[in-house]
PDB file of all heavy atoms in Angstrom:
ATOM      1  N   SER A 375     -20.918-155.074-194.275  1.00 83.00           N
ATOM      2  CA  SER A 375     -21.951-155.771-193.434  1.00 83.00           C
ATOM      3  C   SER A 375     -22.172-157.160-194.009  1.00 83.00           C
ATOM      4  O   SER A 375     -21.937-157.433-195.168  1.00 83.00           O
ATOM      5  CB  SER A 375     -23.229-154.940-193.438  1.00 83.00           C
ATOM      6  OG  SER A 375     -23.783-154.944-194.758  1.00 83.00           O
ATOM      7  N   GLY A 376     -22.648-158.017-193.108  1.00 85.00           N
ATOM      8  CA  GLY A 376     -22.902-159.382-193.533  1.00 85.00           C
ATOM      9  C   GLY A 376     -23.541-160.160-192.466  1.00 85.00           C
ATOM     10  O   GLY A 376     -23.916-159.667-191.392  1.00 85.00           O
ATOM     11  N   LYS A 377     -23.707-161.468-192.768  1.00 87.00           N
ATOM     12  CA  LYS A 377     -24.423-162.341-191.816  1.00 87.00           C
ATOM     13  C   LYS A 377     -23.405-163.390-191.227  1.00 87.00           C
ATOM     14  O   LYS A 377     -22.640-163.988-191.993  1.00 87.00           O
ATOM     15  CB  LYS A 377     -25.582-163.061-192.520  1.00 87.00           C
ATOM     16  CG  LYS A 377     -26.477-163.948-191.579  1.00 87.00           C
ATOM     17  CD  LYS A 377     -27.659-164.455-192.305  1.00 87.00           C
ATOM     18  CE  LYS A 377     -27.344-165.420-193.443  1.00 87.00           C
ATOM     19  NZ  LYS A 377     -28.496-166.040-194.005  1.00 87.00           N
ATOM     20  N   LEU A 378     -23.466-163.589-189.930  1.00 90.00           N
ATOM     21  CA  LEU A 378     -22.583-164.550-189.307  1.00 90.00           C
ATOM     22  C   LEU A 378     -22.991-165.975-189.641  1.00 90.00           C
ATOM     23  O   LEU A 378     -24.123-166.366-189.372  1.00 90.00           O
ATOM     24  CB  LEU A 378     -22.620-164.345-187.756  1.00 90.00           C
ATOM     25  CG  LEU A 378     -21.707-165.238-186.979  1.00 90.00           C
ATOM     26  CD1 LEU A 378     -20.229-164.934-187.252  1.00 90.00           C
ATOM     27  CD2 LEU A 378     -22.005-165.143-185.469  1.00 90.00           C
ATOM     28  N   LEU A 379     -22.086-166.720-190.226  1.00 91.00           N
ATOM     29  CA  LEU A 379     -22.415-168.079-190.664  1.00 91.00           C
ATOM     30  C   LEU A 379     -21.869-169.098-189.655  1.00 91.00           C
ATOM     31  O   LEU A 379     -22.535-170.169-189.455  1.00 91.00           O
ATOM     32  CB  LEU A 379     -21.803-168.341-192.041  1.00 91.00           C
ATOM     33  CG  LEU A 379     -22.360-167.517-193.157  1.00 91.00           C
ATOM     34  CD1 LEU A 379     -21.731-167.929-194.526  1.00 91.00           C
ATOM     35  CD2 LEU A 379     -23.892-167.666-193.326  1.00 91.00           C
ATOM     36  N   THR A 380     -20.692-168.869-189.078  1.00 88.00           N
ATOM     37  CA  THR A 380     -20.185-169.864-188.146  1.00 88.00           C
ATOM     38  C   THR A 380     -19.128-169.158-187.306  1.00 88.00           C
ATOM     39  O   THR A 380     -18.562-168.123-187.639  1.00 88.00           O
ATOM     40  CB  THR A 380     -19.471-171.071-188.885  1.00 88.00           C
ATOM     41  OG1 THR A 380     -19.173-172.070-187.928  1.00 88.00           O
ATOM     42  CG2 THR A 380     -18.234-170.587-189.638  1.00 88.00           C
ATOM     43  N   SER A 381     -18.882-169.786-186.162  1.00 86.00           N
ATOM     44  CA  SER A 381     -17.774-169.292-185.229  1.00 86.00           C
ATOM     45  C   SER A 381     -16.773-170.420-185.089  1.00 86.00           C
ATOM     46  O   SER A 381     -17.139-171.577-185.168  1.00 86.00           O
ATOM     47  CB  SER A 381     -18.357-168.818-183.911  1.00 86.00           C
ATOM     48  OG  SER A 381     -19.053-169.938-183.265  1.00 86.00           O
ATOM     49  N   LEU A 382     -15.546-170.046-184.752  1.00 87.00           N
ATOM     50  CA  LEU A 382     -14.538-171.069-184.552  1.00 87.00           C
ATOM     51  C   LEU A 382     -13.391-170.527-183.724  1.00 87.00           C
ATOM     52  O   LEU A 382     -13.231-169.318-183.485  1.00 87.00           O
ATOM     53  CB  LEU A 382     -13.950-171.513-185.923  1.00 87.00           C
ATOM     54  CG  LEU A 382     -13.666-170.482-186.984  1.00 87.00           C
ATOM     55  CD1 LEU A 382     -12.348-169.799-186.810  1.00 87.00           C
ATOM     56  CD2 LEU A 382     -13.719-171.114-188.397  1.00 87.00           C
ATOM     57  N   LYS A 383     -12.603-171.452-183.192  1.00 86.00           N
ATOM     58  CA  LYS A 383     -11.429-171.071-182.386  1.00 86.00           C
ATOM     59  C   LYS A 383     -10.311-170.627-183.290  1.00 86.00           C
ATOM     60  O   LYS A 383     -10.084-171.246-184.329  1.00 86.00           O
ATOM     61  CB  LYS A 383     -10.969-172.220-181.514  1.00 86.00           C
ATOM     62  CG  LYS A 383     -11.912-172.575-180.407  1.00 86.00           C
ATOM     63  CD  LYS A 383     -11.376-173.706-179.553  1.00 86.00           C
ATOM     64  CE  LYS A 383     -12.255-174.102-178.405  1.00 86.00           C
ATOM     65  NZ  LYS A 383     -11.657-175.241-177.587  1.00 86.00           N
ATOM     66  N   TYR A 384      -9.580-169.584-182.879  1.00 87.00           N
ATOM     67  CA  TYR A 384      -8.504-169.091-183.737  1.00 87.00           C
ATOM     68  C   TYR A 384      -7.220-169.761-183.283  1.00 87.00           C
ATOM     69  O   TYR A 384      -6.336-169.132-182.645  1.00 87.00           O
ATOM     70  CB  TYR A 384      -8.439-167.554-183.602  1.00 87.00           C
ATOM     71  CG  TYR A 384      -7.853-166.925-184.828  1.00 87.00           C
ATOM     72  CD1 TYR A 384      -8.710-166.414-185.831  1.00 87.00           C
ATOM     73  CD2 TYR A 384      -6.513-166.684-184.980  1.00 87.00           C
ATOM     74  CE1 TYR A 384      -8.271-165.816-186.972  1.00 87.00           C
ATOM     75  CE2 TYR A 384      -6.006-166.058-186.123  1.00 87.00           C
ATOM     76  CZ  TYR A 384      -6.891-165.656-187.151  1.00 87.00           C
ATOM     77  OH  TYR A 384      -6.370-165.062-188.209  1.00 87.00           O
ATOM     78  N   ASP A 385      -7.120-171.075-183.597  1.00 90.00           N
ATOM     79  CA  ASP A 385      -5.870-171.786-183.327  1.00 90.00           C
ATOM     80  C   ASP A 385      -5.442-172.553-184.559  1.00 90.00           C
ATOM     81  O   ASP A 385      -6.241-172.788-185.498  1.00 90.00           O
ATOM     82  CB  ASP A 385      -6.094-172.741-182.089  1.00 90.00           C
ATOM     83  CG  ASP A 385      -7.180-173.733-182.346  1.00 90.00           C
ATOM     84  OD1 ASP A 385      -7.120-174.509-183.389  1.00 90.00           O
ATOM     85  OD2 ASP A 385      -8.144-173.765-181.573  1.00 90.00           O
ATOM     86  N   PRO A 386      -4.178-172.954-184.658  1.00 92.00           N
ATOM     87  CA  PRO A 386      -3.641-173.566-185.917  1.00 92.00           C
ATOM     88  C   PRO A 386      -4.419-174.746-186.382  1.00 92.00           C
ATOM     89  O   PRO A 386      -4.665-174.907-187.608  1.00 92.00           O
ATOM     90  CB  PRO A 386      -2.205-174.007-185.469  1.00 92.00           C
ATOM     91  CG  PRO A 386      -1.818-173.012-184.405  1.00 92.00           C
ATOM     92  CD  PRO A 386      -3.110-172.767-183.611  1.00 92.00           C
ATOM     93  N   GLU A 387      -4.847-175.710-185.431  1.00 93.00           N
ATOM     94  CA  GLU A 387      -5.569-176.918-185.835  1.00 93.00           C
ATOM     95  C   GLU A 387      -6.896-176.576-186.453  1.00 93.00           C
ATOM     96  O   GLU A 387      -7.333-177.159-187.454  1.00 93.00           O
ATOM     97  CB  GLU A 387      -5.696-177.845-184.620  1.00 93.00           C
ATOM     98  CG  GLU A 387      -4.416-178.488-184.147  1.00 93.00           C
ATOM     99  CD  GLU A 387      -3.516-177.518-183.424  1.00 93.00           C
ATOM    100  OE1 GLU A 387      -4.035-176.485-182.896  1.00 93.00           O
ATOM    101  OE2 GLU A 387      -2.303-177.821-183.278  1.00 93.00           O
ATOM    102  N   THR A 388      -7.581-175.622-185.861  1.00 92.00           N
ATOM    103  CA  THR A 388      -8.947-175.251-186.364  1.00 92.00           C
ATOM    104  C   THR A 388      -8.780-174.451-187.706  1.00 92.00           C
ATOM    105  O   THR A 388      -9.554-174.710-188.697  1.00 92.00           O
ATOM    106  CB  THR A 388      -9.649-174.374-185.400  1.00 92.00           C
ATOM    107  OG1 THR A 388      -9.763-175.103-184.139  1.00 92.00           O
ATOM    108  CG2 THR A 388     -11.087-174.048-185.857  1.00 92.00           C
ATOM    109  N   LEU A 389      -7.847-173.568-187.725  1.00 94.00           N
ATOM    110  CA  LEU A 389      -7.709-172.725-188.926  1.00 94.00           C
ATOM    111  C   LEU A 389      -7.259-173.528-190.166  1.00 94.00           C
ATOM    112  O   LEU A 389      -7.591-173.231-191.287  1.00 94.00           O
ATOM    113  CB  LEU A 389      -6.644-171.639-188.687  1.00 94.00           C
ATOM    114  CG  LEU A 389      -7.094-170.509-187.732  1.00 94.00           C
ATOM    115  CD1 LEU A 389      -5.949-169.548-187.436  1.00 94.00           C
ATOM    116  CD2 LEU A 389      -8.324-169.748-188.235  1.00 94.00           C
ATOM    117  N   GLU A 390      -6.545-174.637-189.904  1.00 93.00           N
ATOM    118  CA  GLU A 390      -6.113-175.412-191.027  1.00 93.00           C
ATOM    119  C   GLU A 390      -7.296-176.115-191.776  1.00 93.00           C
ATOM    120  O   GLU A 390      -7.222-176.411-192.967  1.00 93.00           O
ATOM    121  CB  GLU A 390      -5.179-176.548-190.599  1.00 93.00           C
ATOM    122  CG  GLU A 390      -4.483-177.324-191.675  1.00 93.00           C
ATOM    123  CD  GLU A 390      -3.532-178.358-191.243  1.00 93.00           C
ATOM    124  OE1 GLU A 390      -3.698-178.912-190.128  1.00 93.00           O
ATOM    125  OE2 GLU A 390      -2.503-178.636-191.978  1.00 93.00           O
ATOM    126  N   LYS A 391      -8.393-176.235-191.079  1.00 93.00           N
ATOM    127  CA  LYS A 391      -9.608-176.800-191.730  1.00 93.00           C
ATOM    128  C   LYS A 391     -10.167-175.783-192.748  1.00 93.00           C
ATOM    129  O   LYS A 391     -11.002-176.165-193.647  1.00 93.00           O
ATOM    130  CB  LYS A 391     -10.613-177.077-190.728  1.00 93.00           C
ATOM    131  CG  LYS A 391     -10.213-178.206-189.734  1.00 93.00           C
ATOM    132  CD  LYS A 391     -11.230-178.432-188.669  1.00 93.00           C
ATOM    133  CE  LYS A 391     -10.792-179.477-187.660  1.00 93.00           C
ATOM    134  NZ  LYS A 391     -11.769-179.695-186.532  1.00 93.00           N
ATOM    135  N   LEU A 392      -9.842-174.497-192.655  1.00 93.00           N
ATOM    136  CA  LEU A 392     -10.279-173.518-193.650  1.00 93.00           C
ATOM    137  C   LEU A 392      -9.365-173.618-194.844  1.00 93.00           C
ATOM    138  O   LEU A 392      -8.178-173.292-194.790  1.00 93.00           O
ATOM    139  CB  LEU A 392     -10.223-172.079-193.023  1.00 93.00           C
ATOM    140  CG  LEU A 392     -11.197-171.741-191.967  1.00 93.00           C
ATOM    141  CD1 LEU A 392     -10.870-170.367-191.387  1.00 93.00           C
ATOM    142  CD2 LEU A 392     -12.573-171.762-192.453  1.00 93.00           C
ATOM    143  N   LYS A 393      -9.942-174.051-195.958  1.00 93.00           N
ATOM    144  CA  LYS A 393      -9.068-174.279-197.154  1.00 93.00           C
ATOM    145  C   LYS A 393      -9.050-172.993-197.995  1.00 93.00           C
ATOM    146  O   LYS A 393      -9.530-172.882-199.127  1.00 93.00           O
ATOM    147  CB  LYS A 393      -9.686-175.418-198.005  1.00 93.00           C
ATOM    148  CG  LYS A 393      -9.737-176.716-197.272  1.00 93.00           C
ATOM    149  CD  LYS A 393     -10.321-177.848-198.084  1.00 93.00           C
ATOM    150  CE  LYS A 393     -10.377-179.179-197.319  1.00 93.00           C
ATOM    151  NZ  LYS A 393     -10.948-180.210-198.094  1.00 93.00           N
ATOM    152  N   ILE A 394      -8.334-171.977-197.418  1.00 95.00           N
ATOM    153  CA  ILE A 394      -8.131-170.717-198.105  1.00 95.00           C
ATOM    154  C   ILE A 394      -6.748-170.745-198.735  1.00 95.00           C
ATOM    155  O   ILE A 394      -5.733-171.012-198.022  1.00 95.00           O
ATOM    156  CB  ILE A 394      -8.190-169.548-197.086  1.00 95.00           C
ATOM    157  CG1 ILE A 394      -9.603-169.590-196.373  1.00 95.00           C
ATOM    158  CG2 ILE A 394      -8.018-168.217-197.805  1.00 95.00           C
ATOM    159  CD1 ILE A 394      -9.722-168.566-195.282  1.00 95.00           C
ATOM    160  N   TYR A 395      -6.697-170.530-200.065  1.00 95.00           N
ATOM    161  CA  TYR A 395      -5.401-170.662-200.776  1.00 95.00           C
ATOM    162  C   TYR A 395      -5.052-169.407-201.512  1.00 95.00           C
ATOM    163  O   TYR A 395      -5.889-168.577-201.916  1.00 95.00           O
ATOM    164  CB  TYR A 395      -5.474-171.844-201.668  1.00 95.00           C
ATOM    165  CG  TYR A 395      -6.477-171.657-202.864  1.00 95.00           C
ATOM    166  CD1 TYR A 395      -6.072-171.021-204.044  1.00 95.00           C
ATOM    167  CD2 TYR A 395      -7.822-172.090-202.744  1.00 95.00           C
ATOM    168  CE1 TYR A 395      -6.937-170.854-205.063  1.00 95.00           C
ATOM    169  CE2 TYR A 395      -8.755-171.888-203.759  1.00 95.00           C
ATOM    170  CZ  TYR A 395      -8.289-171.260-204.939  1.00 95.00           C
ATOM    171  OH  TYR A 395      -9.128-171.053-205.985  1.00 95.00           O
ATOM    172  N   LYS A 396      -3.733-169.336-201.768  1.00 94.00           N
ATOM    173  CA  LYS A 396      -3.201-168.275-202.688  1.00 94.00           C
ATOM    174  C   LYS A 396      -2.592-169.043-203.863  1.00 94.00           C
ATOM    175  O   LYS A 396      -1.952-170.060-203.700  1.00 94.00           O
ATOM    176  CB  LYS A 396      -2.109-167.502-201.974  1.00 94.00           C
ATOM    177  CG  LYS A 396      -2.580-166.573-200.866  1.00 94.00           C
ATOM    178  CD  LYS A 396      -1.418-165.794-200.255  1.00 94.00           C
ATOM    179  CE  LYS A 396      -1.850-164.924-199.058  1.00 94.00           C
ATOM    180  NZ  LYS A 396      -0.741-164.180-198.534  1.00 94.00           N
ATOM    181  N   LEU A 397      -2.807-168.483-205.103  1.00 92.00           N
ATOM    182  CA  LEU A 397      -2.255-169.085-206.256  1.00 92.00           C
ATOM    183  C   LEU A 397      -0.859-168.680-206.451  1.00 92.00           C
ATOM    184  O   LEU A 397      -0.467-167.472-206.324  1.00 92.00           O
ATOM    185  CB  LEU A 397      -3.106-168.742-207.448  1.00 92.00           C
ATOM    186  CG  LEU A 397      -4.461-169.347-207.614  1.00 92.00           C
ATOM    187  CD1 LEU A 397      -5.194-168.846-208.792  1.00 92.00           C
ATOM    188  CD2 LEU A 397      -4.448-170.831-207.690  1.00 92.00           C
ATOM    189  N   ARG A 398      -0.010-169.639-206.765  1.00 93.00           N
ATOM    190  CA  ARG A 398       1.421-169.408-207.024  1.00 93.00           C
ATOM    191  C   ARG A 398       1.783-170.113-208.348  1.00 93.00           C
ATOM    192  O   ARG A 398       1.079-171.083-208.754  1.00 93.00           O
ATOM    193  CB  ARG A 398       2.307-169.891-205.912  1.00 93.00           C
ATOM    194  CG  ARG A 398       2.093-169.159-204.589  1.00 93.00           C
ATOM    195  CD  ARG A 398       2.818-167.825-204.673  1.00 93.00           C
ATOM    196  NE  ARG A 398       2.709-167.132-203.359  1.00 93.00           N
ATOM    197  CZ  ARG A 398       1.835-166.282-203.053  1.00 93.00           C
ATOM    198  NH1 ARG A 398       0.822-166.023-203.865  1.00 93.00           N
ATOM    199  NH2 ARG A 398       1.888-165.686-201.796  1.00 93.00           N
ATOM    200  N   GLN A 399       2.810-169.726-208.995  1.00 94.00           N
ATOM    201  CA  GLN A 399       3.266-170.403-210.169  1.00 94.00           C
ATOM    202  C   GLN A 399       4.731-170.289-210.462  1.00 94.00           C
ATOM    203  O   GLN A 399       5.333-169.275-210.041  1.00 94.00           O
ATOM    204  CB  GLN A 399       2.464-169.930-211.406  1.00 94.00           C
ATOM    205  CG  GLN A 399       2.762-168.558-211.847  1.00 94.00           C
ATOM    206  CD  GLN A 399       1.982-168.211-213.147  1.00 94.00           C
ATOM    207  OE1 GLN A 399       0.951-168.746-213.513  1.00 94.00           O
ATOM    208  NE2 GLN A 399       2.566-167.243-213.911  1.00 94.00           N
ATOM    209  N   ARG A 400       5.278-171.316-211.034  1.00 95.00           N
ATOM    210  CA  ARG A 400       6.694-171.299-211.440  1.00 95.00           C
ATOM    211  C   ARG A 400       6.675-171.361-212.983  1.00 95.00           C
ATOM    212  O   ARG A 400       5.868-172.029-213.587  1.00 95.00           O
ATOM    213  CB  ARG A 400       7.481-172.504-210.878  1.00 95.00           C
ATOM    214  CG  ARG A 400       7.640-172.429-209.327  1.00 95.00           C
ATOM    215  CD  ARG A 400       8.617-173.561-208.933  1.00 95.00           C
ATOM    216  NE  ARG A 400       8.897-173.561-207.481  1.00 95.00           N
ATOM    217  CZ  ARG A 400       9.953-174.077-206.912  1.00 95.00           C
ATOM    218  NH1 ARG A 400      10.902-174.674-207.702  1.00 95.00           N
ATOM    219  NH2 ARG A 400      10.135-174.045-205.657  1.00 95.00           N
TER     220      ARG A 400
END
Side-chain angles (χ1 to χ4, degrees):
S375 65
K377 186 171 66 172
L378 181 67
L379 296 180
T380 187
S381 59
L382 43 81
K383 290 182 179 180
Y384 209 91
D385 59 57
E387 289 74 20
T388 304
L389 291 175
E390 190 177 30
K391 296 176 182 177
L392 291 174
K393 298 179 180 179
I394 302 172
Y395 66 88
K396 293 181 180 180
L397 288 176
R398 294 284 186 267
Q399 66 177 27
R400 293 189 178 201

